Amino acid sequence: MKVSSIKVSIDPITRLEGHGKIDIFLDENGNVTNARVQTPELRGFEKFCVGRKAEDMPIITARICGVCPEAHHIASAKALDMAFGAPPPRTAHLIRELLYNAYIFYDHCLHLYYLGGIDVLLGDVEKKDRNVIGLIKKFGLELGAEIIKHRRYAMETIKMVGGREIHPVCAIPGGVSKRIKEEERKEIEEKFSKCISFAERSIALFKEVFDSDRWNELLGLDEIKTYYMGIVDSDNRVNYYDGNIRIVSPSGKEFAKLKPNELIENIDEHIEKWNYVKYPYLKKVGWHGFVDGEKSGVYRVGPLGRINSADGMNTPIANKEFKEFRKNGIVHKTFAYYHARLIEMLNAAERVYYLCQEKDITSDDIRSMPTKTGEGIGIVEAARGVLIHHYDVDEKGLIRKVNLIVATTNNNAAINMSVANTAKKVIKNGEVNDILLNKVESSFRCYDPCMACASHAIGRMPTIINLYRNGELYKRLVRDA
Amino acid sequence: MKIAMYWGASCGGCDVSLLSLHEKILDLLKEVEIVFWPCAMDFKYEDVEKMPDGSIDICFYNGAIRTEENEKIAKLLRKKSKKLVAYGSCAIEGCVIGLANLYSREEILKEVYSKDVPGEDLPEFLPYLKTLEQVVSIDASIPGCPPPTPILEDALNALLQGRQFGKNVALCDECPRKDSKPDKIEIDNIYRWHEKKDSGECFLAQGIICMGPATRGGCKAECITANIPCTGCVGPIPKIKEQGISMISAIASIISNKNEDEVIEKIEDYVGTFYKYSAAKLLPEGRLKDES
């Protein structure tokens, strides 16, 4: 069958956070010439936060994303620690880190069982069954109840420590507003000892799929050899709450190790002259188009970015899993994001458990007072990757300037490349159906992209996916909102 | 019963709040069939378009109306639904993203696009952010950013049984610091909450602005339990039209006469303080109509 140029749209992209649409373009033979991802939304946080009281920022910016409010809340508070000259006492850091790891646990749990993980666990099932209800139908109510229960444990911990389940309020400049009482500490410790077992069970459940032909097919959908970036502690182990930023090359060599305030000067953002969409890349390597390899400054963040850029995990059981995962060096296959996410879910559960055993965790020395106003940079690992809040606070304590670099934006170029590669692989000779289109979406979901975060501001939206023919950039079509 | 959940311009927290029903969501699923929920299910716009008009029993719409697409889908879902419920602060009053209405669309776009403002093949970025009710009629609203679980449970049960819901009292009524509130508060200074050591007593009595008197109860004072004053996310008490004015008048009534001007001078960012969640409603309706 000969057909003229056809556009196939997936609208809206589902099982992700925020809005998105994929357009796939076919040639006269029904093969993919290009594809693009649009994020048809923006809200303008960087504009309307100006003039606000600085101490309100952890509350306002949490509203960038209701799935990862803790990431914005804590990054914001860390920026204010610096801006107000109020370094938090050790206990405040421990409490924030505990809250933060509880967040990583529930957020990964959400992606693995409610959102993207469905693509891995259920296989090519019909649209109506590709959701958590379908998952419960296949695996049974007992597993469903376990998923809900352990996610609840994490949310209850966040509420206990942070004040609310969604959009917590406890992080303030110089520390936290609420201490952890002994009976609360004990409760969290008990809950998270169970979360460790649940994370181990989750790894076992997914590993059954990892041994299957289905998994090989998924792994084959996309592989790109990029740089990787993640926050590490002094022993180069993954740390979500604090540390330096380590970048490794596609072959696994350490490329750079940066202090949080050095990151901004090491990243540049590519701008197409016909478009203001920005694509972050490593300045020293340079922008050479949507290509992978040592010579391309494209990098990846998130679970795979962190695990590829670290030498280990900071907890024992997760570290064993890490060693197995990394036994052959760097892992480039995009679906490996799922395996990395499982290791991190286990790590986060263990980390909460160990933080509960820190002697100072229940101390009441939880905040220091502001001494000045000025510039502040706060950095954390959101579930989806490196997140930076950068503020300028005037002498009245009001926000003068805001710059936010969010996790999903860092993956912008890579997401574009993965969706394009997958579309080309699965759509042939004009055969398009719901199952094939879901495979295209599934390569996008590996990154657990958060379009709500990415579209907080104008000019930073991952609005485009450009596609290639014979390795050459073929067409660049879209402009952003 | 068929239900749908959709997001306009939002953060996704409303969708997550449904999951915060935890085990109770399994009970809910026994009673309802979810026919559209982009955050969690794969049904697309084309599936909704194919549904007969009025075939969705209750549609929960969270998020504000910021783009042409938000507006289009709000109208589509209104047509397909018997009951359309504004779910959460963005849909009801615009929430923090309504603060963008302090600027015109042109001012926002100009910040980044010096010329050639793009928008090819994309839904239009509307002149102002609107609430759901400014676009379509609604049948009920569930307040909060996002609706806290106690409010949500009450609202869902009421909607399924077809009865009224929501508290008609101020947050102060359920505040854990209620007993420390003096009969008559008189303050001679205003403090920012990050710069004063909290005594654990009524925030207003400490001279720290707390939106409790002007905010509807129902959330069980979650933030105050974490030692953070209320910022007003549940919105005004039903009988009060404007939360900001209500709070400003409450503050006016507790400032001591001694150094009134000095105290008022210390309040920074009136919009961000008193209208953090309802700035979108602040705009005169005429302005919205003229420019959208």
Side-chain angles (χ1 to χ4, degrees), chain A residues 200-218:
Chain A
E200 290 183 290
R201 181 177 172 186
S202 297
I203 292 179
L205 180 75
F206 275 80
K207 275 188 177 168
E208 284 177 31
V209 181
F210 294 168
D211 289 333
S212 69
D213 293 343
R214 161 83 183 169
W215 185 242
N216 282 329
E217 186 208 342
L218 292 175

Side-chain angles (χ1 to χ4, degrees), chain A residues 14-15 19 36 42 47 52 55 63 66 130 152 164-165 177 276 367 396-397 441 458 479-481, chain B residues 7-8 11 20 23 38-39 42 44 47 108 111 113 121-122 125 145 192-194 226-227 269 273:
Chain A
T14 42
R15 286 187 281 120
H19 293 239
R36 67 190 188 189
L42 65 94
K47 181 83 180 168
R52 305 283 79 79
E55 71 273 20
R63 268 84 186 175
R130 289 197 306 259
R152 169 165 64 77
R164 301 164 46 125
E165 285 199 358
S177 63
Y276 291 104
R367 67 180 289 197
K396 281 184 164 179
E441 272 190 84
I458 312 159
R479 306 177 131 193
D480 72 356
Chain B
W7 48 22
C11 72
S20 287
E23 281 82 351
C39 176
D42 281 351
K44 310 293 183 188
D47 298 306
I108 294 174
E111 175 112 344
Y113 310 111
D121 201 22
L122 279 164
F125 184 63
C145 176
R192 307 260 290 267
W193 55 263
H194 72 291
N227 305 325
D269 182 20
T273 304

